[in-house]
Amino acid sequence: MPSKKKQEWKEVTLAPTIERFHERQDKFETSSGIDISPVYTPEDMPDFDYSAALGYPGEYPFTRGIQPNMYRGRLWTMRQYAGFGTAEESNKRYRYLLEQGQTGLSIAFQLPTQIGYDSDHPLAKGEVGKVGVAIDTLEDMEILFKGISLDKVSTSMTINSTAPILLAMYIALAKKKGVDPAKLDGTIQNDILKEYIARGTHIFPPRPSMRLTTDIFAYCSQHVPRWNTISISGYHIREAGSTAAQEIAFTLANGIAYVQAAIAAGLDVDEFAGRLSFFFNAHNNLFEEVAKFRAARCLWSKIISQRFEAKDPRSTMLRFHTQTAGCTLTAQQPYNNIVRVAIQALAATLGGTQSLHTNSFDEAYATPSKEAVTIALRTQQLLAYETGIGDVVDPLGGSYLIEYLTEALERQAGEYIDKIDKLGGAVAAIEQGFQQREIQESSYHQQKNIEENKATVVGVNKFVSSSPEISELLRVNPELERKQRERLAKVKKNRDNGKVTKVLKNLEEVARGRDNTMPVFIDCVEAYASIGEICDVLRKVFGTQREYLVF
Amino acid sequence: MAEETKIRVLVAKPGLDGHDRGAKVVARALRDAGMEVVYTGIRQTPEMIVEAAVQEDVDVVGLSILSGAHLELFPPIAEGLKKKGKTDVLLVAGGIIPDEDIPALQKIGIKAIFGPGTPTSKIIEFIKNELAGRKN
């Protein structure tokens, strides 16, 4: 007789089997510590209410997706993060990627550009053109986008502390090319809070930084209405070692802080909330990851409509970019990474991402080579065009397991957000080291699990064999550093330096006052003031912020 | 018999990259293994690292870097330590460092490079073995 209840089945059918054949592990759990039982049934979700928890795609709370027909209308944007060396070299890589069918650009900047130093600063030594492209002045941006139509491409820029300056350059460039800024499509990361938590390219203290952020919200709502003014990022939080639940919670808690700051600056929530975007990681635990994206969408739409009383449905949609998890890539047996990336990309698309970056298999060694990045892009194209994954909305919706995990993650993340609220919000919690400490605990726990063989990393602690050599790693030519410094010197010599002094002085006044800083940033970059010069002024006015070190 | 002195380690992040997950995990594992660990935090210049190594009178300096600037930033650290008379300090490194760069780094006195996937137990064992005999 078949069992009538799960409990009965457990006793009658499951228990004897486990008795005879022990299970592989004493306990099965997800990254967030959610216990996984052998099977899921409607009994696992006695209070499940379809319309309250899920609803229909394109409708509140958007658990199933933000568009009614999702990828049946348009596939996700395939957007490979790229940039290295000088603007000329990166321009070549972007044009290559566009020719290969990539549908959006994603700019990686060198660290000095991200931290507000010019390429000739002593701290830039050895860093010029590494991890991203060197941008010092508008002239570098002109070269970077040579032959690329700004009104035809959407451009994402991973830039945070110096986001207003790079955005000002993009707007100035559009004007020079005769493109109306109102037609510009793209995203700046502009998420300073996760820099203090996990990524480490902050310059100024949180409060003046938040002002720069909200200045961008206000300026873009008037002048660059299609621009995504922030990409609130869980990606780096996860890379630093968080669990899936922490990734959702710390990201959305930062989101809450930005919304509060913008409202405090006098903006109406529906004026800017529709331009907020998010950025998540796609990690290894396939089902937990799919559930994570769904839970984040549902939780954010509730937060924005209940806590902030947004009225416009667009304000309540969580739109997000995804990148596969760099931290899961191994230097050992590097070709295995192609498979890891494919499965992570599957999770992202099953989770309804709006755009996707797939990592290259050689990233545990260097910035990706052309061959490796092509395979990564082809992985997305293969998913999109060969598997039928985009033919139906939220394909895993209704799976007992997925719905159970979605609910569990939403609950866990909600509890973390409550904790952060009690600490005084995301900024106060960061100042107290709360998120940093939680992430470090998780990351150390994961490392211990690997070393104690409780977690398996194929090729690292199991199925170990000698790795094939990877050929043709990308090397950034050290000569570039000299060339970039020469170019900067030439720009500084040929520009109208009287004008530069004047705009920088004006910047100082605006920074000390309360006016929106964006127009004066545009004046500065149009006068070819460099990022280092602009940031020196801001450092003088705002001061600098060391990391909130927790160890 | 003298009380056993603890091995003193400086874990440092030269350069501008903020990828500190590895450095923090290693620092904590060394501490759990009974060593005295000082972690500098991110964005340290070679001068700051040399200064901290001298101040803290460490036996080991562990450098972590993922930005690719190791060939520019490690040599001034190795030289600075020598200049300050810290000739016996054990210098090790980790992060994203291509194999072809390892000989150049060994030449300046970096005794081991621990790449991605290295178990912390291996790092602990290496440090203990290298320092065995120096401390008793």
Side-chain angles (χ1 to χ4, degrees), chain A residues 160-161 190-196 202 209-210 213 258:
Chain A
N160 294 279
S161 299
N190 193 30
D191 170 14
I192 195 64
L193 294 179
K194 65 90 175 58
E195 297 295 325
Y196 304 112
H202 49 273
S209 296
M210 294 287 269
T213 307
Y258 293 122

Side-chain angles (χ1 to χ4, degrees), chain A residues 127 202 239 444 451 547, chain B residues 16 21 32 42-43 67 120:
Chain A
E127 310 271 15
H202 49 273
E239 285 293 291
Y444 195 60
E451 296 198 19
E547 75 179 296
Chain B
L16 301 181
R21 178 179 181 167
D32 285 358
I42 60 171
R43 284 199 229 167
S67 74
T120 54

Side-chain angles (χ1 to χ4, degrees), chain A residues 11-254:
Chain A
E11 288 160 15
V12 175
T13 310
L14 178 67
T17 304
I18 296 178
E19 189 89 344
R20 282 177 61 206
F21 310 103
H22 286 291
E23 291 192 316
R24 287 183 289 111
Q25 292 162 216
D26 296 337
K27 203 168 138 185
F28 293 82
E29 59 177 24
T30 68
S31 84
S32 307
I34 300 167
D35 255 320
I36 295 293
S37 63
V39 73
Y40 286 85
T41 73
E43 291 164 85
D44 292 294
M45 338 196 41
D47 304 321
F48 182 74
D49 172 350
Y50 179 84
S51 47
L54 298 183
Y56 290 93
E59 289 180 10
Y60 184 85
F62 300 101
T63 312
R64 306 206 65 179
I66 61 161
Q67 286 116 10
N69 60 346
M70 290 299 292
Y71 306 138
R72 288 168 65 104
R74 199 168 68 85
L75 288 163
W76 64 89
T77 302
M78 300 179 193
R79 197 191 288 282
Q80 296 297 100
Y81 182 48
F84 56 91
T86 58
E88 285 89 350
E89 283 188 280
S90 295
N91 174 264
K92 260 187 239 157
R93 176 67 67 92
Y94 300 150
R95 287 161 74 159
Y96 170 77
L97 286 167
L98 291 170
E99 278 161 25
Q100 296 307 307
Q102 172 168 284
T103 46
L105 289 177
S106 174
I107 316 295
F109 296 99
Q110 67 170 3
L111 285 160
T113 300
Q114 295 190 49
I115 305 177
Y117 299 119
D118 286 338
S119 295
D120 61 359
H121 192 281
L123 287 174
K125 191 175 178 329
E127 310 271 15
V128 174
K130 307 267 171 72
V131 318
V133 59
I135 302 291
D136 294 315
T137 69
L138 182 58
E139 181 169 301
D140 299 317
M141 284 292 264
E142 290 161 7
I143 298 165
L144 191 66
F145 287 96
K146 210 169 165 192
I148 297 170
S149 309
L150 299 193
D151 51 351
K152 297 213 171 61
V153 73
S154 81
T155 302
S156 167
M157 294 191 261
T158 298
I159 197 73
N160 294 279
S161 299
T162 52
I165 307 169
L166 272 302
L167 176 60
M169 285 186 182
Y170 199 74
I171 293 168
L173 181 66
K175 289 204 269 177
K176 280 192 89 166
K177 287 187 171 218
V179 174
D180 179 359
K183 287 199 176 129
L184 292 177
D185 241 324
T187 308
I188 38 174
Q189 198 161 75
N190 193 30
D191 170 14
I192 195 64
L193 294 179
K194 65 90 175 58
E195 297 295 325
Y196 304 112
I197 296 175
R199 192 169 172 275
T201 69
H202 49 273
I203 306 173
F204 318 113
R207 284 155 224 277
S209 296
M210 294 287 269
R211 177 208 168 177
L212 295 178
T213 307
T214 52
D215 279 356
I216 291 174
F217 291 0
Y219 182 86
C220 287
S221 74
Q222 299 301 313
H223 305 283
V224 202
R226 281 160 59 176
W227 198 263
N228 298 308
T229 51
I230 193 167
S231 170
I232 308 165
S233 306
Y235 183 80
H236 318 88
I237 288 170
R238 190 68 180 279
E239 285 293 291
S242 84
T243 66
Q246 289 167 340
E247 180 188 352
I248 304 175
F250 298 164
T251 309
L252 299 195
N254 288 348

Side-chain angles (χ1 to χ4, degrees), chain B residues 72-86:
Chain B
E72 288 84 359
L73 296 177
F74 286 2
I77 297 169
E79 282 156 30
L81 288 169
K82 270 183 212 140
K83 266 191 205 146
K84 296 271 179 178
K86 301 256 343 151

Side-chain angles (χ1 to χ4, degrees), chain A residues 294-516:
Chain A
R294 303 171 87 245
R297 227 171 3 238
C298 177
L299 194 52
W300 182 250
S301 67
K302 287 178 188 165
I303 289 168
I304 204 86
S305 59
Q306 290 167 13
R307 201 190 276 224
F308 297 110
E309 297 174 3
K311 302 278 178 293
D312 184 345
R314 286 197 61 82
S315 303
T316 68
M317 288 178 192
L318 181 146
R319 297 170 301 127
F320 68 102
H321 172 70
T322 306
Q323 180 171 339
T324 58
C327 62
T328 66
L329 302 180
T330 62
Q332 296 77 7
Q333 304 176 20
Y335 293 105
N336 294 347
N337 293 329
I338 297 172
V339 183
R340 289 190 179 97
V341 166
I343 294 165
Q344 294 163 1
L346 177 67
T349 50
L350 288 172
T353 195
Q354 276 59 63
S355 60
L356 178 61
H357 166 105
T358 33
N359 286 330
S360 297
F361 69 86
D362 59 354
E363 291 191 48
Y365 288 92
T367 302
S369 68
K370 196 166 154 184
E371 183 207 10
V373 78
T374 306
I375 293 174
L377 177 60
R378 295 287 181 253
T379 305
Q380 292 200 40
Q381 291 165 336
L382 199 149
L383 267 175
Y385 295 99
E386 293 186 8
T387 67
I389 202 172
D391 299 352
V392 64
V393 177
D394 188 28
L396 298 191
S399 144
Y400 303 124
L401 167 66
I402 289 292
E403 300 305 350
Y404 177 84
L405 287 175
T406 304
E407 201 181 279
L409 284 171
E410 192 188 332
R411 193 173 50 245
Q412 260 197 43
E415 285 164 7
Y416 263 118
I417 292 172
D418 289 345
K419 255 189 221 168
I420 292 171
D421 282 339
K422 289 204 181 83
L423 291 172
V427 177
I430 289 167
E431 287 168 344
Q432 294 162 56
F434 172 72
Q435 295 94 323
Q436 300 93 309
R437 197 170 295 115
E438 289 283 328
I439 293 167
Q440 272 164 239
E441 284 302 319
S442 302
S443 121
Y444 195 60
H445 178 71
Q446 288 166 46
Q447 179 66 24
K448 286 197 90 152
N449 276 348
I450 294 168
E451 296 198 19
E452 289 164 9
N453 289 315
K454 287 181 190 156
T456 299
V457 184
V458 171
V460 174
N461 68 351
K462 205 169 192 170
F463 313 114
V464 177
S465 62
S466 65
S467 308
E469 291 268 320
I470 294 191
S471 56
E472 293 183 38
L473 284 181
L474 183 127
R475 301 288 306 201
V476 175
N477 183 349
E479 267 297 284
L480 290 178
E481 190 156 327
R482 190 182 51 77
K483 270 169 73 181
Q484 182 64 23
R485 287 176 183 177
E486 281 171 10
R487 175 145 77 213
L488 175 61
K490 211 167 135 198
V491 169
K492 285 188 178 174
K493 191 165 157 261
N494 293 341
R495 68 189 180 183
D496 177 350
N497 277 300
K499 195 172 172 197
V500 171
T501 312
K502 206 174 130 227
V503 290
L504 289 176
K505 180 134 196 354
N506 192 18
L507 170 65
E508 185 174 340
E509 270 164 38
V510 173
R512 285 194 197 284
R514 307 187 63 167
D515 287 350
N516 195 308

Side-chain angles (χ1 to χ4, degrees), chain A residues 500-539:
Chain A
V500 171
T501 312
K502 206 174 130 227
V503 290
L504 289 176
K505 180 134 196 354
N506 192 18
L507 170 65
E508 185 174 340
E509 270 164 38
V510 173
R512 285 194 197 284
R514 307 187 63 167
D515 287 350
N516 195 308
T517 45
M518 274 308 293
V520 66
F521 281 129
I522 295 173
D523 292 343
C524 288
V525 302
E526 283 179 339
Y528 292 86
S530 69
I531 287 176
E533 290 167 330
I534 295 170
C535 286
D536 281 344
V537 171
L538 298 178
R539 275 186 274 258

